[in-house]
Amino acid sequence: MTAAQAVALAVALAVLLAAAPAAAQQVWRCGPDGRLFSDRPCADGRAITSADRRTTEEVEAAREVAYREQKLADTLASERAERARVAPGSGLIAIGPTEEELQAERRKREIKLQRASKRQPGRHRARSSGAGI
């Protein structure tokens, strides 16, 4: 839906809702503690009347606020999408080492293996047993 279509739909809806009288609706309070509400009768429910006690001006002001907030939310979402589109990388995070870190570890292992292969078989480093002789 384009922005123009969304605005037209919002205006049409506002006009229709403003023209409709605010009639009281029958609502049922259900559940053992009366915390559930339904638009249909329920076994353990009791009927209550609900009516919008706001003035026409208050209703229209609330609709204007909701419209402005939705417009702002749409703007922020499109800006965020644009930033994500032009940002370096895909926006995904990597868990674990980077490719450079992996290559550095491979080089260290290769050097260690080369040094170990160059050692002469008869020469070993003296190791401490930790017994404290």
Side-chain angles (χ1 to χ4, degrees):
M1 178 182 292
T2 67
Q5 290 172 331
V7 170
L9 179 63
V11 169
L13 183 62
V15 169
L16 288 174
L17 290 176
Q25 293 179 328
Q26 194 73 25
V27 177
W28 281 264
R29 197 169 207 158
C30 306
D33 55 357
R35 291 187 182 188
L36 303 173
F37 294 91
S38 174
D39 60 346
R40 298 186 186 108
C42 47
D44 58 348
R46 60 185 169 92
I48 59 173
T49 303
S50 69
D52 190 354
R53 294 187 178 111
R54 298 177 296 173
T55 65
T56 306
E57 291 82 19
E58 291 172 330
V59 171
E60 186 58 33
R63 285 191 186 117
E64 288 175 9
V65 168
Y67 172 74
R68 284 194 311 269
E69 288 177 351
Q70 183 60 52
K71 191 173 177 181
L72 177 61
D74 292 342
T75 301
L76 292 173
S78 65
E79 287 174 0
R80 183 179 60 243
E82 180 63 19
R83 281 194 310 271
R85 188 183 67 75
V86 298
S90 64
L92 301 175
I93 61 169
I95 299 176
T98 64
E99 186 59 35
E100 292 83 16
E101 292 169 333
L102 289 172
Q103 288 177 358
E105 283 298 317
R106 286 185 200 116
R107 283 192 300 269
K108 285 180 187 178
R109 269 189 255 125
E110 288 174 9
I111 292 170
K112 195 174 187 178
L113 288 173
Q114 288 173 357
R115 286 181 183 165
S117 67
K118 289 181 182 179
R119 288 189 189 146
Q120 296 176 2
R123 296 181 62 190
H124 296 290
R125 290 185 187 166
R127 292 187 184 181
S128 170
S129 64
I133 304 176

